[in-house]
Amino acid sequence: MSGFSSEERAAPFTLEYRVFLKNEKGQYISPFHDIPIYANKDVFHMVVEVPRWSNAKMEIATKDPLNPIKQDVKKGKLRYVANLFPYKGYIWNYGAIPQTWEDPGHNDKHTGCCGDNDPIDVCEIGSKVCARGEIIKVKVLGILAMIDEGETDWKVIAINVDDPDASNYNDINDVKRLKPGYLEATVDWFRRYKVPDGKPENQFAFNAEFKNKDFAVDIIKSTHDHWRALVTKKTDGKGISCMNTTVSESPFKCDPDAAKAIVD
């Protein structure tokens, strides 16, 4: 668990439920801004929002101070994804890479659409079911360019470096070879998961083809640049909370006591 821990407040599956993240000293931090993007060279951190096979749509609360994980709400109701035959809930551990941001003011040259205003999403394909709020280290393998209601919403494919089979996975073609059907299922899931809610199917750039590791890393780096502009106030975040405890050049940096006061 790389020195980070999580603390739950209120009961799960309620409007009040939050998961706050802490550093190795037990101080409250933002999973969006304070966890480094890199765990080490070529290995990224991932914040697990949704454990595999579960249905509650949990996410980093980008507009709340310190950005705890909470359940998404639409029209006053907690959001769940439907079981989409033949799948049960999310088919990977789902989460985000910290210190990234898909800028809604930036028109993506690959998709022709602006960003979705969130950290970049990750689908972790290893064998372990992770815990909500867990911070894991992942190897990036590829990326899918989803277009969700006219917004660019990249989906990174990665594997936990602690997975027993991680050494066998180095690029997207290894997923095709070793997990036949899994990438097709991933596209199918993302295409249809909002249909039970009465929404249209999602669209994809590149004919829904997965791009390779190098392409994925380039996209992640560009979202890291957008995040840096956000957290140093070079970009207007329009309501996003940039409160953090570690980004030295950020005007939003606060001390651990102020962070604790927010949580309490």
Coordinates of all heavy atoms in Angstrom, one line a residue, residues 156-232:
V156 N -7.4 4.4 -19.6 CA -6.1 3.8 -19.6 C -6.3 2.3 -19.2 O -7.0 2.0 -18.2 CB -5.2 4.5 -18.6 CG1 -3.9 3.8 -18.5 CG2 -5.0 6.0 -19.0
I157 N -5.6 1.4 -19.9 CA -5.6 0.0 -19.5 C -4.2 -0.3 -18.8 O -3.2 0.1 -19.3 CB -5.7 -0.9 -20.7 CG1 -7.0 -0.6 -21.5 CG2 -5.7 -2.4 -20.3 CD1 -8.3 -0.7 -20.8
A158 N -4.3 -0.8 -17.6 CA -3.1 -1.0 -16.8 C -3.1 -2.3 -16.0 O -4.2 -2.9 -15.8 CB -2.8 0.2 -15.9
I159 N -2.0 -2.7 -15.4 CA -2.0 -3.8 -14.5 C -1.2 -3.5 -13.3 O -0.1 -2.8 -13.4 CB -1.4 -5.1 -15.2 CG1 -1.7 -6.3 -14.3 CG2 0.0 -4.9 -15.6 CD1 -1.5 -7.7 -15.1
N160 N -1.7 -4.0 -12.2 CA -1.0 -3.8 -10.9 C 0.4 -4.4 -11.0 O 0.5 -5.6 -11.3 CB -1.8 -4.5 -9.8 CG -1.4 -4.2 -8.4 OD1 -0.3 -3.8 -8.1 ND2 -2.3 -4.4 -7.5
V161 N 1.4 -3.7 -10.6 CA 2.8 -4.2 -10.7 C 3.0 -5.4 -9.7 O 3.9 -6.2 -9.9 CB 3.9 -3.2 -10.4 CG1 3.9 -2.1 -11.5 CG2 3.8 -2.6 -9.0
D162 N 2.1 -5.5 -8.7 CA 2.2 -6.6 -7.7 C 1.4 -7.9 -8.2 O 1.4 -8.9 -7.5 CB 1.7 -6.2 -6.4 CG 2.6 -5.1 -5.7 OD1 3.8 -5.2 -6.0 OD2 2.1 -4.3 -5.0
D163 N 0.8 -7.8 -9.3 CA 0.0 -8.9 -9.8 C 1.0 -10.1 -10.2 O 2.1 -9.8 -10.7 CB -0.8 -8.6 -11.1 CG -1.7 -9.7 -11.5 OD1 -2.9 -9.7 -11.0 OD2 -1.3 -10.5 -12.3
P164 N 0.7 -11.3 -9.9 CA 1.6 -12.4 -10.2 C 2.0 -12.5 -11.7 O 3.1 -13.0 -12.0 CB 0.9 -13.7 -9.8 CG -0.3 -13.2 -9.0 CD -0.5 -11.8 -9.2
D165 N 1.1 -12.0 -12.5 CA 1.4 -12.1 -14.0 C 1.9 -10.8 -14.6 O 2.1 -10.7 -15.8 CB 0.1 -12.5 -14.7 CG -0.3 -14.0 -14.4 OD1 0.6 -14.8 -14.2 OD2 -1.5 -14.3 -14.5
A166 N 2.2 -9.8 -13.7 CA 2.5 -8.5 -14.3 C 3.7 -8.5 -15.2 O 3.7 -7.8 -16.2 CB 2.8 -7.5 -13.1
S167 N 4.7 -9.4 -15.0 CA 5.9 -9.4 -15.8 C 5.5 -9.8 -17.3 O 6.3 -9.5 -18.2 CB 6.9 -10.3 -15.2 OG 6.4 -11.6 -15.1
N168 N 4.4 -10.5 -17.5 CA 4.0 -11.0 -18.8 C 3.3 -9.9 -19.6 O 3.1 -10.1 -20.8 CB 3.1 -12.2 -18.7 CG 3.8 -13.4 -18.0 OD1 5.0 -13.6 -18.2 ND2 3.1 -14.1 -17.2
Y169 N 3.0 -8.8 -19.0 CA 2.2 -7.7 -19.6 C 3.0 -6.5 -19.8 O 3.4 -5.9 -18.8 CB 0.9 -7.4 -18.8 CG -0.1 -8.5 -18.8 CD1 -0.1 -9.5 -17.9 CD2 -1.2 -8.5 -19.7 CE1 -1.0 -10.5 -17.9 CE2 -2.1 -9.4 -19.7 CZ -2.1 -10.5 -18.8 OH -3.0 -11.4 -18.8
N170 N 3.3 -6.1 -21.0 CA 4.2 -4.9 -21.3 C 3.6 -4.0 -22.3 O 4.0 -2.9 -22.5 CB 5.6 -5.4 -21.7 CG 6.3 -6.1 -20.6 OD1 6.5 -5.5 -19.5 ND2 6.5 -7.4 -20.8
D171 N 2.5 -4.4 -23.0 CA 1.9 -3.6 -24.0 C 0.5 -4.1 -24.3 O 0.1 -5.2 -23.8 CB 2.7 -3.5 -25.3 CG 2.5 -2.2 -26.0 OD1 1.4 -1.6 -26.0 OD2 3.5 -1.7 -26.7
I172 N -0.3 -3.4 -25.0 CA -1.7 -3.8 -25.2 C -1.9 -5.1 -25.9 O -2.8 -5.9 -25.7 CB -2.5 -2.6 -26.0 CG1 -4.0 -2.8 -25.7 CG2 -2.1 -2.6 -27.4 CD1 -4.5 -2.5 -24.3
N173 N -0.9 -5.5 -26.8 CA -1.0 -6.8 -27.5 C -0.9 -7.9 -26.6 O -1.4 -9.0 -26.9 CB 0.1 -6.8 -28.6 CG -0.3 -5.9 -29.8 OD1 -1.4 -5.7 -30.1 ND2 0.7 -5.4 -30.4
D174 N -0.2 -7.7 -25.4 CA -0.1 -8.8 -24.4 C -1.5 -9.1 -23.8 O -1.8 -10.2 -23.5 CB 0.9 -8.5 -23.3 CG 2.3 -8.3 -23.9 OD1 2.7 -9.0 -24.8 OD2 3.1 -7.4 -23.4
V175 N -2.3 -8.1 -23.7 CA -3.7 -8.2 -23.2 C -4.5 -9.0 -24.2 O -5.2 -10.0 -23.8 CB -4.3 -6.9 -22.8 CG1 -5.7 -7.1 -22.2 CG2 -3.4 -6.0 -22.0
K176 N -4.3 -8.7 -25.5 CA -5.1 -9.4 -26.5 C -4.7 -10.9 -26.5 O -5.6 -11.8 -26.7 CB -4.7 -8.8 -27.9 CG -5.3 -7.4 -28.1 CD -4.8 -6.8 -29.5 CE -5.3 -5.4 -29.6 NZ -4.6 -4.7 -30.7
R177 N -3.4 -11.2 -26.3 CA -2.9 -12.5 -26.4 C -3.3 -13.3 -25.1 O -3.7 -14.5 -25.2 CB -1.4 -12.4 -26.6 CG -0.7 -13.7 -26.8 CD 0.8 -13.4 -27.2 NE 1.5 -12.5 -26.3 CZ 2.1 -12.9 -25.2 NH1 2.1 -14.2 -24.9 NH2 2.7 -12.0 -24.5
L178 N -3.1 -12.7 -24.0 CA -3.2 -13.5 -22.7 C -4.6 -13.4 -22.1 O -5.0 -14.3 -21.3 CB -2.2 -12.9 -21.7 CG -0.7 -13.1 -22.1 CD1 0.2 -12.3 -21.2 CD2 -0.4 -14.6 -22.1
K179 N -5.4 -12.4 -22.5 CA -6.8 -12.3 -21.9 C -7.7 -12.2 -23.1 O -8.3 -11.1 -23.3 CB -7.0 -11.1 -21.0 CG -6.3 -11.3 -19.6 CD -6.7 -10.2 -18.7 CE -6.0 -10.3 -17.4 NZ -6.6 -11.2 -16.4
P180 N -7.9 -13.2 -24.0 CA -8.7 -13.0 -25.2 C -10.1 -12.7 -24.8 O -10.7 -13.2 -23.9 CB -8.6 -14.4 -25.8 CG -8.1 -15.4 -24.8 CD -7.3 -14.5 -23.9
G181 N -10.6 -11.7 -25.6 CA -12.0 -11.2 -25.3 C -12.1 -10.1 -24.3 O -13.2 -9.4 -24.3
Y182 N -11.1 -9.9 -23.5 CA -11.2 -8.9 -22.4 C -11.3 -7.4 -23.0 O -12.1 -6.6 -22.5 CB -10.0 -9.0 -21.5 CG -10.2 -8.5 -20.1 CD1 -11.5 -8.1 -19.6 CD2 -9.1 -8.3 -19.2 CE1 -11.6 -7.6 -18.3 CE2 -9.3 -7.8 -17.9 CZ -10.5 -7.5 -17.5 OH -10.7 -7.0 -16.2
L183 N -10.5 -7.1 -24.0 CA -10.6 -5.8 -24.5 C -11.9 -5.5 -25.3 O -12.5 -4.5 -25.2 CB -9.4 -5.5 -25.4 CG -8.0 -5.5 -24.7 CD1 -6.9 -5.3 -25.8 CD2 -7.9 -4.5 -23.6
E184 N -12.3 -6.6 -26.0 CA -13.7 -6.4 -26.7 C -14.8 -6.2 -25.6 O -15.7 -5.4 -25.9 CB -13.9 -7.7 -27.5 CG -13.0 -7.9 -28.7 CD -11.7 -8.5 -28.4 OE1 -11.3 -8.7 -27.2 OE2 -10.9 -8.8 -29.3
A185 N -14.7 -7.0 -24.5 CA -15.7 -6.8 -23.4 C -15.6 -5.4 -22.9 O -16.6 -4.8 -22.5 CB -15.4 -7.8 -22.4
T186 N -14.4 -4.8 -22.8 CA -14.2 -3.5 -22.2 C -14.9 -2.5 -23.1 O -15.6 -1.6 -22.6 CB -12.7 -3.2 -22.1 OG1 -12.1 -4.1 -21.1 CG2 -12.4 -1.8 -21.7
V187 N -14.7 -2.6 -24.4 CA -15.4 -1.7 -25.3 C -16.9 -1.8 -25.3 O -17.6 -0.8 -25.2 CB -14.9 -1.9 -26.8 CG1 -15.8 -1.1 -27.8 CG2 -13.4 -1.5 -27.0
D188 N -17.3 -3.1 -25.2 CA -18.8 -3.4 -25.1 C -19.4 -2.8 -23.9 O -20.4 -2.1 -23.9 CB -19.0 -4.9 -25.2 CG -20.4 -5.3 -25.2 OD1 -21.2 -4.7 -26.0 OD2 -20.8 -6.2 -24.5
W189 N -18.7 -2.9 -22.8 CA -19.1 -2.4 -21.5 C -19.2 -0.9 -21.5 O -20.3 -0.3 -21.2 CB -18.2 -2.8 -20.4 CG -18.7 -2.6 -19.0 CD1 -19.4 -3.6 -18.2 CD2 -18.7 -1.4 -18.2 NE1 -19.7 -3.0 -17.0 CE2 -19.3 -1.7 -16.9 CE3 -18.2 -0.1 -18.4 CZ2 -19.5 -0.8 -15.9 CZ3 -18.4 0.8 -17.4 CH2 -19.0 0.5 -16.1
F190 N -18.2 -0.2 -22.0 CA -18.2 1.3 -22.0 C -19.2 1.8 -23.1 O -19.8 2.8 -22.9 CB -16.8 1.8 -22.3 CG -15.9 1.9 -21.1 CD1 -14.7 1.3 -21.1 CD2 -16.3 2.6 -20.0 CE1 -13.9 1.3 -20.0 CE2 -15.5 2.7 -18.9 CZ -14.3 2.1 -18.9
R191 N -19.4 1.0 -24.1 CA -20.4 1.5 -25.1 C -21.8 1.5 -24.5 O -22.6 2.4 -24.7 CB -20.4 0.6 -26.3 CG -21.1 1.1 -27.5 CD -21.2 0.1 -28.7 NE -20.0 -0.3 -29.2 CZ -19.2 0.4 -30.0 NH1 -19.5 1.6 -30.4 NH2 -18.0 -0.1 -30.5
R192 N -22.2 0.5 -23.7 CA -23.6 0.2 -23.3 C -23.9 0.6 -21.9 O -25.1 0.5 -21.5 CB -23.9 -1.2 -23.6 CG -23.8 -1.6 -25.1 CD -24.5 -3.0 -25.3 NE -23.8 -4.1 -24.7 CZ -24.3 -5.0 -23.9 NH1 -25.6 -4.9 -23.5 NH2 -23.6 -6.0 -23.4
Y193 N -22.9 0.9 -21.0 CA -23.2 0.9 -19.6 C -24.3 2.0 -19.2 O -24.9 1.9 -18.1 CB -22.0 1.0 -18.8 CG -21.4 2.4 -18.5 CD1 -21.5 3.0 -17.3 CD2 -20.6 3.0 -19.5 CE1 -21.0 4.3 -17.1 CE2 -20.0 4.3 -19.3 CZ -20.2 4.9 -18.1 OH -19.7 6.1 -17.9
K194 N -24.4 3.0 -20.0 CA -25.4 4.1 -19.7 C -26.8 3.8 -20.3 O -27.7 4.5 -20.0 CB -24.9 5.5 -20.1 CG -23.8 6.0 -19.2 CD -23.4 7.4 -19.5 CE -22.4 7.9 -18.6 NZ -22.1 9.3 -18.9
V195 N -26.9 2.9 -21.2 CA -28.1 2.6 -21.9 C -29.3 2.2 -20.9 O -30.4 2.7 -21.1 CB -27.9 1.5 -23.0 CG1 -29.3 1.1 -23.6 CG2 -27.0 2.0 -24.0
P196 N -29.0 1.4 -19.9 CA -30.1 1.1 -18.9 C -30.7 2.4 -18.2 O -31.8 2.4 -17.7 CB -29.5 0.2 -17.9 CG -28.4 -0.5 -18.6 CD -27.8 0.6 -19.6
D197 N -29.9 3.5 -18.2 CA -30.4 4.7 -17.6 C -31.1 5.6 -18.6 O -31.4 6.8 -18.4 CB -29.2 5.5 -17.0 CG -28.5 4.8 -15.9 OD1 -29.1 4.0 -15.3 OD2 -27.2 5.0 -15.8
G198 N -31.3 5.1 -19.8 CA -32.0 5.8 -20.8 C -31.1 6.7 -21.7 O -31.6 7.6 -22.4
K199 N -29.8 6.6 -21.6 CA -28.8 7.4 -22.3 C -28.4 6.7 -23.6 O -28.6 5.4 -23.7 CB -27.5 7.6 -21.5 CG -27.7 8.3 -20.2 CD -27.6 9.8 -20.4 CE -27.7 10.6 -19.1 NZ -26.5 10.5 -18.2
P200 N -27.9 7.4 -24.6 CA -27.5 6.8 -25.8 C -26.2 6.0 -25.6 O -25.5 6.2 -24.6 CB -27.2 7.9 -26.8 CG -27.0 9.1 -25.9 CD -27.8 8.9 -24.7
E201 N -25.8 5.2 -26.5 CA -24.5 4.5 -26.5 C -23.4 5.5 -26.6 O -23.5 6.5 -27.2 CB -24.4 3.4 -27.6 CG -25.3 2.3 -27.5 CD -25.1 1.2 -28.5 OE1 -24.3 1.4 -29.5 OE2 -25.6 0.1 -28.3
N202 N -22.3 5.2 -25.9 CA -21.1 6.0 -26.0 C -20.4 5.7 -27.3 O -20.5 4.6 -27.9 CB -20.1 5.8 -24.8 CG -20.6 6.4 -23.5 OD1 -21.1 7.6 -23.6 ND2 -20.5 5.7 -22.4
Q203 N -19.6 6.7 -27.8 CA -18.9 6.6 -29.0 C -17.4 6.5 -28.7 O -17.0 6.8 -27.6 CB -19.2 7.8 -29.9 CG -20.7 8.1 -30.2 CD -21.3 6.9 -30.9 OE1 -20.8 6.5 -31.9 NE2 -22.4 6.4 -30.4
F204 N -16.6 6.2 -29.7 CA -15.2 6.1 -29.5 C -14.4 6.7 -30.7 O -14.9 6.6 -31.9 CB -14.7 4.6 -29.4 CG -15.4 3.9 -28.3 CD1 -16.6 3.3 -28.5 CD2 -14.9 3.9 -27.0 CE1 -17.3 2.6 -27.5 CE2 -15.5 3.3 -26.0 CZ -16.7 2.6 -26.2
A205 N -13.3 7.3 -30.5 CA -12.4 7.6 -31.6 C -11.6 6.4 -32.0 O -11.6 5.4 -31.3 CB -11.4 8.7 -31.1
F206 N -10.9 6.5 -33.2 CA -10.1 5.4 -33.7 C -10.9 4.1 -33.9 O -10.3 3.0 -33.7 CB -8.9 5.1 -32.8 CG -8.1 6.3 -32.4 CD1 -7.9 6.7 -31.1 CD2 -7.4 7.0 -33.4 CE1 -7.2 7.8 -30.8 CE2 -6.6 8.1 -33.1 CZ -6.5 8.5 -31.7
N207 N -12.2 4.2 -34.2 CA -13.0 3.0 -34.4 C -12.9 2.1 -33.2 O -13.0 0.8 -33.3 CB -12.5 2.2 -35.6 CG -13.0 2.8 -36.9 OD1 -14.1 3.5 -36.9 ND2 -12.3 2.6 -38.0
A208 N -12.8 2.6 -32.0 CA -12.8 1.9 -30.8 C -11.6 0.9 -30.7 O -11.6 -0.1 -30.0 CB -14.1 1.1 -30.6
E209 N -10.5 1.3 -31.4 CA -9.3 0.5 -31.3 C -8.4 1.0 -30.1 O -8.3 2.2 -29.9 CB -8.5 0.6 -32.6 CG -9.1 -0.2 -33.7 CD -8.3 0.0 -35.0 OE1 -7.2 0.5 -35.0 OE2 -8.9 -0.3 -36.1
F210 N -7.8 0.1 -29.4 CA -6.9 0.5 -28.3 C -5.6 0.9 -28.9 O -5.0 0.3 -29.8 CB -6.7 -0.7 -27.4 CG -7.9 -1.0 -26.5 CD1 -8.9 -1.8 -27.1 CD2 -8.0 -0.6 -25.2 CE1 -10.0 -2.1 -26.3 CE2 -9.1 -0.9 -24.5 CZ -10.1 -1.6 -25.0
K211 N -5.0 2.0 -28.3 CA -3.7 2.5 -28.7 C -2.7 1.9 -27.7 O -3.0 1.5 -26.6 CB -3.7 4.0 -28.6 CG -4.5 4.7 -29.7 CD -4.0 4.3 -31.1 CE -4.7 5.1 -32.2 NZ -4.1 4.7 -33.5
N212 N -1.4 1.9 -28.2 CA -0.4 1.1 -27.4 C 0.1 1.9 -26.2 O -0.3 3.0 -25.9 CB 0.7 0.7 -28.3 CG 1.5 1.9 -28.9 OD1 1.4 3.0 -28.4 ND2 2.4 1.6 -29.9
K213 N 1.0 1.3 -25.5 CA 1.6 1.9 -24.3 C 2.2 3.3 -24.5 O 1.9 4.2 -23.7 CB 2.6 0.9 -23.7 CG 3.4 1.5 -22.5 CD 4.4 0.6 -22.0 CE 5.1 1.2 -20.8 NZ 5.9 0.2 -20.0
D214 N 3.0 3.4 -25.5 CA 3.7 4.7 -25.7 C 2.7 5.8 -26.0 O 2.8 6.9 -25.4 CB 4.6 4.6 -26.9 CG 5.9 3.8 -26.6 OD1 6.1 3.5 -25.5 OD2 6.5 3.4 -27.6
F215 N 1.6 5.5 -26.8 CA 0.6 6.5 -27.0 C -0.1 6.9 -25.7 O -0.4 8.0 -25.4 CB -0.4 5.9 -28.0 CG -1.5 6.8 -28.5 CD1 -1.4 7.4 -29.8 CD2 -2.6 7.2 -27.7 CE1 -2.3 8.3 -30.2 CE2 -3.6 8.1 -28.2 CZ -3.4 8.6 -29.4
A216 N -0.4 5.8 -24.9 CA -1.1 6.0 -23.6 C -0.3 6.9 -22.7 O -0.8 7.8 -22.1 CB -1.4 4.7 -22.9
V217 N 1.0 6.6 -22.6 CA 1.9 7.4 -21.7 C 1.9 8.9 -22.2 O 1.9 9.8 -21.3 CB 3.3 6.8 -21.6 CG1 4.3 7.7 -20.9 CG2 3.2 5.5 -20.9
D218 N 1.9 9.1 -23.5 CA 1.9 10.5 -24.0 C 0.6 11.2 -23.6 O 0.7 12.4 -23.2 CB 2.0 10.5 -25.5 CG 3.5 10.3 -26.0 OD1 4.4 10.4 -25.1 OD2 3.7 10.0 -27.2
I219 N -0.5 10.5 -23.7 CA -1.8 11.1 -23.3 C -1.8 11.4 -21.8 O -2.2 12.5 -21.3 CB -3.0 10.2 -23.6 CG1 -3.1 10.0 -25.1 CG2 -4.3 10.7 -23.0 CD1 -3.5 11.3 -25.9
I220 N -1.3 10.5 -21.0 CA -1.2 10.7 -19.5 C -0.3 11.9 -19.2 O -0.7 12.8 -18.4 CB -0.7 9.5 -18.8 CG1 -1.7 8.3 -18.9 CG2 -0.5 9.7 -17.3 CD1 -1.1 6.9 -18.6
K221 N 0.8 12.0 -19.8 CA 1.7 13.2 -19.6 C 1.0 14.5 -20.0 O 1.2 15.5 -19.3 CB 3.0 13.0 -20.4 CG 4.0 12.0 -19.8 CD 5.2 11.8 -20.7 CE 6.2 10.8 -20.0 NZ 7.3 10.5 -20.9
S222 N 0.3 14.5 -21.0 CA -0.4 15.7 -21.4 C -1.5 16.1 -20.4 O -1.7 17.3 -20.0 CB -1.0 15.6 -22.8 OG -2.2 14.8 -22.8
T223 N -2.2 15.1 -19.8 CA -3.2 15.4 -18.7 C -2.5 15.9 -17.5 O -3.0 16.6 -16.7 CB -4.1 14.2 -18.5 OG1 -3.4 13.1 -18.0 CG2 -4.9 13.8 -19.7
H224 N -1.2 15.4 -17.3 CA -0.4 15.9 -16.1 C -0.1 17.3 -16.3 O -0.1 18.1 -15.3 CB 0.8 15.0 -16.0 CG 1.7 15.4 -14.8 ND1 1.2 15.4 -13.5 CD2 3.0 15.7 -14.8 CE1 2.2 15.8 -12.7 NE2 3.3 16.0 -13.4
D225 N 0.3 17.7 -17.5 CA 0.5 19.1 -17.8 C -0.7 20.0 -17.6 O -0.6 21.1 -17.0 CB 1.0 19.3 -19.3 CG 2.4 18.7 -19.5 OD1 3.1 18.5 -18.5 OD2 2.7 18.4 -20.7
H226 N -1.9 19.5 -18.0 CA -3.1 20.3 -17.7 C -3.4 20.4 -16.2 O -3.8 21.4 -15.7 CB -4.3 19.6 -18.4 CG -4.2 19.6 -19.9 ND1 -4.0 20.8 -20.6 CD2 -4.4 18.7 -20.8 CE1 -4.0 20.5 -21.9 NE2 -4.2 19.3 -22.1
W227 N -3.1 19.3 -15.5 CA -3.3 19.4 -14.0 C -2.4 20.4 -13.4 O -2.8 21.2 -12.5 CB -3.0 18.0 -13.4 CG -2.8 18.1 -11.9 CD1 -3.8 18.1 -11.0 CD2 -1.6 18.2 -11.2 NE1 -3.3 18.2 -9.7 CE2 -1.9 18.3 -9.8 CE3 -0.2 18.2 -11.5 CZ2 -1.0 18.4 -8.8 CZ3 0.7 18.3 -10.6 CH2 0.3 18.4 -9.2
R228 N -1.1 20.4 -13.9 CA -0.1 21.4 -13.3 C -0.6 22.8 -13.5 O -0.5 23.7 -12.6 CB 1.3 21.2 -13.9 CG 2.3 22.0 -13.1 CD 3.7 21.5 -13.4 NE 4.0 20.2 -12.8 CZ 4.1 19.9 -11.5 NH1 4.0 20.9 -10.7 NH2 4.4 18.7 -11.1
A229 N -1.1 23.1 -14.7 CA -1.7 24.4 -15.0 C -2.9 24.7 -14.1 O -3.0 25.9 -13.6 CB -2.1 24.5 -16.5
L230 N -3.7 23.7 -13.8 CA -4.8 23.9 -12.9 C -4.4 24.2 -11.5 O -4.9 25.2 -10.9 CB -5.7 22.6 -12.9 CG -6.8 22.5 -11.9 CD1 -8.0 23.3 -12.3 CD2 -7.2 21.0 -11.7
V231 N -3.5 23.4 -10.9 CA -3.1 23.5 -9.5 C -2.2 24.7 -9.2 O -2.0 25.2 -8.1 CB -2.5 22.2 -9.0 CG1 -1.0 22.1 -9.4 CG2 -2.8 21.9 -7.6
T232 N -1.6 25.3 -10.3 CA -0.8 26.5 -10.1 C -1.6 27.8 -10.6 O -1.0 28.8 -10.7 CB 0.5 26.4 -10.9 OG1 0.2 26.1 -12.3 CG2 1.4 25.3 -10.4

